[in-house]
Amino acid sequence: MTHPPPGKADSQVYRRENTVILLYSLNNFAKPLVSLLLFMCFLLVESNFSTLAGTGKGTLAGLVRDQNGSAISGAIVLVRHQVTGATLNVSTDATGMFRLDSLPEGTYLLQATALGFTQFVQPVTLTGNQPTAVSVALEPAGTRSASKTDEEIIQLKKQLAEANAKIDKLASLVEGLQAKATPALSFPGTGTPTEVAATALPSPAVPQSLTEQDKKSKAAQDDPKAIDALVKSKIQGGTFSGSEGLFKNDRIKIGGYADFRYVTRGLDDGFEIRANADEENPGQTDVTNFKRNTFSSPQLILGVAAAITDKLVFNSEIEFEFAGKEVEIEQMYLEYQFNKKFNLRGGIVIPPLGRFNLFHDSNLRDIITRPLVSTFVIPSTYKDAGIGANGQFKVGRKGLFTYEGYVVNGLRSDEGGEIAREAGLFETKGNNRFFDNNPQKSAVGRLTYSPFIGTEIGVSGYRGKHDNRGQYDLSIWAFDGKYTFRDFQIVGEYARAAIGRAPETEQELAAKRFLLSLPKGDYVNTFDFIDANINEPVFDKAARSTDGFYLEARYRFHPKWLTSRTTEDATIAPVFRFDQVNLDRSYPDFRFPLNMRRASYGLSIRPTEAATFNFTYHHDLKPGLLLRLPDGRPFPPYFTNLGVKGFSFGMAYAF
């Protein structure tokens, strides 16, 4: 039977905040307590001492000797609070010394027991913030038989074993509850993970002689999951693209996600599909409508993260698009984590322009298609090269304030990033990760406030020059929010962009007046007339202002027939989303191809939180004015899903 050495490290208990509960037992010393277990033990002890909240703390120390004054090592010293009944035990070291710190003041019953000696019992009164010393003298078994003493020790061992068994059971219960609670605190269908990253629980204490750096280094060496605390997955509100990791040790983690989908009528990724079709059918796509029912595998993402030191981390994300046709670096940065309030990050980053851009991964969505506002107003999957900082602050007892901001190359309107009314800001992400197209830099950032778990309000902003000469500004503002009540979740985002540009030409103004004069309904004319008089002067030019929003809601069920066959966190969620964008706010009402509205009704089945199978019916509302060709087709190259119904099926899995 071995016992831990006494001292502050193994006797700190009952701290009101940021407390580490170290329960040493006779049969469980070698097994470290994970942070969830520590947290549950804290809750149990906290409840026992709730009546003493706000009282002082005392220290109890002493020496255990035999009748000859010799120290007794390995003796068990147990104290029991006379009011709450809470107990704590510690063993003596080789010199017979023991010490218990941070005990709430009050009267305790002290019991000391050692093999071959009679039990010692004595009441002890502790006064707040005052040390109390006791001297314990144990007498040989004498008139009391050794078997009786042994029986008491065996009984004490049994009590300790039962307590440890209860703690292990509570730890398993906490892990199960945490797995079930994770879906209710996230928005897998909207690119929204847990609304607040889980607060790191305290780690087991180390001797005070170690420096803070030594403590963290030791914790990283002892904990095989240290990399998870340094680079959390997006499912947990972090930046790692993946789930638990395909490969992981305390320094390196490799994971990712992939998706496969079936989409009718070009509902999603219309511009990428058209760009690839252009390569295979040159000169044909300008006069072709994209009524395509398509199987596609848009993305395979590999994430690689590494803990270079306990403060310096590396995170990356490599994207293979359309079965490897395109390969890009989605993010690749170094971050020095000074503390929770300030971290310095530089490299290729995902700018915090709206929540959806941060959490756009397919496995996080219950509808496989992206919101329209996060495609045309905020260019979805916007990534950039730059440097910045992030951090978080506690506000009150439950509130959390976070910030993230960067100086970046910025979005661009040329050199592969043209702005046009028909595409909004979709193509502005261009080549910004390789070089800047003007001398000025851009700024982007996001502030969030979470009053309590399940609710979050965010505001984002972007501003920078977008043209080669650096003459015109591009500004984007976004507001996002989410709310969770048990299994009901709702999330939304609004974004508005202001685009600086040269004054309209006479041809553009004439085309605009012509469009505004047309009555509601279908306007039919030849391709050449519409292309020359409307398309080129209006739709191929940049708008001055665009905006849009989406609102999405779901309710997550946990049917036993599903959880019993898959995992405990399996869910089924009916989901609804409403989208609207206006690619030119100077056309105020919903009557042009520049306006899009979409209602989506879906069902997401998750055999586990990291995977989704979703089925969605989409209804794109027809605008009051639609341009058509003589054969009845909508005028290309616009999305032909205006006023039509479509269907999408998505499969996505993070690993």
Side-chain angles (χ1 to χ4, degrees):
M1 177 176 66
T2 59
H3 300 278
K8 192 171 184 178
D10 55 301
S11 62
Q12 289 191 353
V13 293
Y14 311 143
R15 290 194 180 278
R16 183 64 181 176
E17 296 182 1
N18 300 325
T19 303
V20 179
I21 305 298
L22 300 181
L23 297 178
Y24 293 102
S25 66
L26 296 173
N27 63 345
N28 204 27
F29 171 69
K31 182 170 65 175
L33 297 179
V34 295
S35 56
L36 288 175
L37 176 57
L38 293 173
F39 181 60
M40 179 55 72
C41 292
F42 170 71
L43 293 178
L44 293 175
V45 173
E46 187 71 6
S47 64
N48 285 335
F49 281 85
S50 60
T51 59
L52 301 177
T55 62
K57 304 291 184 178
T59 298
L60 178 64
L63 173 66
V64 178
R65 302 168 299 164
D66 61 13
Q67 75 279 8
N68 298 320
S70 299
I72 300 177
S73 64
I76 298 175
V77 179
L78 182 145
V79 294
R80 183 188 305 275
H81 198 281
Q82 294 291 73
V83 176
T84 66
T87 62
L88 182 70
N89 67 83
V90 69
S91 58
T92 60
D93 62 6
T95 64
M97 296 293 295
F98 68 92
R99 181 186 177 95
L100 296 168
D101 291 327
S102 300
L103 294 175
E105 63 182 7
T107 301
Y108 293 81
L109 186 65
L110 182 147
Q111 300 177 0
T113 307
L115 185 64
F117 293 89
T118 58
Q119 185 182 52
F120 176 89
V121 179
Q122 174 182 312
V124 178
T125 300
L126 299 184
T127 303
N129 303 319
Q130 296 293 329
T132 299
V134 296
S135 179
V136 177
L138 299 183
E139 298 181 359
T143 56
R144 300 181 62 185
S145 65
S147 60
K148 180 65 175 178
T149 304
D150 293 343
E151 180 180 344
E152 292 175 348
I153 295 177
I154 292 173
Q155 184 65 24
L156 181 59
K157 289 181 179 180
K158 183 178 179 181
Q159 293 176 358
L160 292 174
E162 291 176 351
N164 288 326
K166 291 180 179 179
I167 291 173
D168 289 338
K169 186 175 180 180
L170 287 172
S172 300
L173 178 61
V174 170
E175 292 176 355
L177 291 174
Q178 185 185 44
K180 291 182 178 180
T182 299
L185 300 178
S186 64
F187 294 88
T190 61
T192 56
T194 59
E195 109 297 341
V196 178
T199 302
L201 294 176
S203 302
V206 296
Q208 286 184 313
S209 59
L210 295 178
T211 65
E212 189 69 21
Q213 183 75 11
D214 292 335
K215 292 179 183 179
K216 293 184 178 180
S217 298
K218 184 178 185 302
Q221 295 171 1
D222 295 342
D223 185 4
K225 296 183 179 180
I227 186 67
D228 289 335
L230 295 173
V231 186
K232 295 182 179 179
S233 70
K234 291 187 181 181
I235 293 177
Q236 299 172 314
T239 58
F240 180 75
S241 291
S243 181
E244 296 298 323
L246 185 66
F247 168 82
K248 178 173 61 178
N249 58 28
D250 62 326
R251 301 288 298 277
I252 299 174
K253 178 165 60 174
I254 300 175
Y257 70 90
D259 73 67
F260 172 78
R261 64 186 66 175
Y262 175 80
V263 180
T264 64
R265 299 185 180 273
L267 286 167
D268 190 32
D269 298 322
F271 289 102
E272 287 100 331
I273 293 174
R274 195 171 75 192
N276 283 276
D278 272 332
E279 296 180 10
E280 303 299 329
N281 303 280
Q284 298 299 312
T285 55
D286 284 343
V287 295
T288 302
N289 296 117
F290 290 92
K291 291 186 177 181
R292 300 177 184 270
N293 299 336
T294 304
F295 285 109
S296 66
S297 182
Q299 300 171 94
L300 168 63
I301 304 295
L302 292 181
V304 179
I308 300 173
T309 70
D310 62 311
K311 287 183 175 291
L312 182 63
V313 299
F314 167 82
N315 187 29
S316 66
E317 185 177 331
I318 306 172
E319 181 178 27
F320 299 86
E321 290 188 318
F322 298 102
K325 187 175 180 64
E326 301 174 10
V327 180
E328 289 190 318
I329 300 295
E330 187 89 358
Q331 62 177 341
M332 183 176 63
Y333 65 80
L334 285 172
E335 179 175 277
Y336 196 85
Q337 300 180 351
F338 290 91
N339 49 56
K340 288 184 178 181
K341 296 180 180 179
F342 181 79
N343 304 293
L344 183 65
R345 182 182 298 175
I348 298 177
V349 298
I350 299 178
L353 188 54
R355 167 175 278 276
F356 187 86
N357 191 62
L358 288 172
F359 304 105
H360 61 260
D361 299 11
S362 301
N363 62 289
L364 300 176
R365 305 201 299 266
D366 283 334
I367 296 178
I368 200 64
T369 60
R370 297 167 183 160
L372 296 176
V373 66
S374 300
T375 302
F376 296 100
V377 182
I378 297 176
S380 184
T381 70
Y382 167 39
K383 51 259 186 191
D384 213 331
I387 189 170
N390 63 83
Q392 62 181 31
F393 297 87
K394 287 186 177 181
V395 181
R397 295 182 58 187
K398 298 181 179 180
L400 190 69
F401 173 82
T402 63
Y403 71 92
E404 184 177 357
Y406 302 94
V407 176
V408 295
N409 285 336
L411 300 169
R412 60 182 63 203
S413 60
D414 38 33
E415 296 179 340
E418 290 74 15
I419 300 176
R421 284 183 175 89
E422 64 178 358
L425 301 177
F426 180 83
E427 297 179 343
T428 57
K429 48 194 179 182
N431 299 313
N432 54 13
R433 298 172 311 288
F434 311 115
F435 56 88
D436 200 344
N437 67 328
N438 55 52
Q440 295 89 349
K441 290 293 174 281
S442 302
V444 60
R446 181 169 181 259
L447 303 175
T448 63
Y449 173 64
S450 174
F452 48 84
I453 292 179
T455 299
E456 182 179 290
I457 301 171
V459 56
S460 309
Y462 168 92
R463 186 174 178 86
K465 305 293 185 181
H466 64 81
D467 61 305
N468 269 352
R469 295 184 178 182
Q471 292 180 321
Y472 302 115
D473 287 318
L474 171 61
S475 300
I476 304 174
W477 290 96
F479 302 90
D480 60 77
K482 67 176 182 176
Y483 173 74
T484 301
F485 179 73
R486 296 179 181 174
D487 290 319
F488 174 73
Q489 305 166 3
I490 186 169
V491 64
E493 187 166 299
Y494 171 83
R496 179 173 173 177
I499 306 162
R501 50 159 290 183
E504 291 89 346
T505 64
E506 285 298 326
Q507 187 182 15
E508 186 176 353
L509 292 173
K512 181 176 180 179
R513 289 193 296 267
F514 175 71
L515 275 173
L516 292 173
S517 68
L518 293 175
K520 292 184 178 181
D522 290 356
Y523 174 74
V524 179
N525 211 318
T526 65
F527 174 86
D528 292 336
F529 179 87
I530 296 177
D531 187 47
N533 294 279
I534 300 177
N535 184 46
E536 291 183 5
V538 176
F539 299 138
D540 286 348
K541 300 294 190 299
R544 290 191 178 276
S545 181
T546 67
D547 71 348
F549 73 94
Y550 83 93
L551 192 66
E552 184 170 328
R554 71 183 48 77
Y555 191 91
R556 312 195 73 177
F557 295 94
H558 309 267
K560 289 185 178 180
W561 62 264
L562 179 62
T563 57
S564 63
R565 290 171 172 80
T566 53
T567 60
E568 291 185 357
D569 63 346
T571 60
I572 290 181
V575 58
F576 168 78
R577 180 201 289 167
F578 181 82
D579 290 279
Q580 176 173 310
V581 292
N582 191 342
L583 299 182
D584 189 341
R585 296 182 64 250
S586 63
Y587 297 90
D589 53 357
F590 183 64
R591 60 188 300 264
F592 297 100
L594 298 176
N595 308 106
M596 284 182 275
R597 288 177 181 170
R598 177 183 295 172
S600 302
Y601 311 84
L603 182 69
S604 174
I605 302 175
R606 290 183 174 269
T608 181
E609 180 62 20
T612 174
F613 298 83
N614 52 75
F615 309 81
T616 310
Y617 167 80
H618 306 270
H619 181 199
D620 280 41
L621 306 180
K622 180 181 176 181
L625 175 65
L626 188 63
L627 307 180
R628 289 190 182 275
L629 301 179
D631 60 6
R633 291 180 299 156
F635 176 80
Y638 306 104
F639 288 119
T640 57
N641 53 344
L642 289 174
V644 301
K645 301 173 179 62
F647 170 79
S648 69
F649 164 69
M651 300 171 58
Y653 178 73
F655 49 87

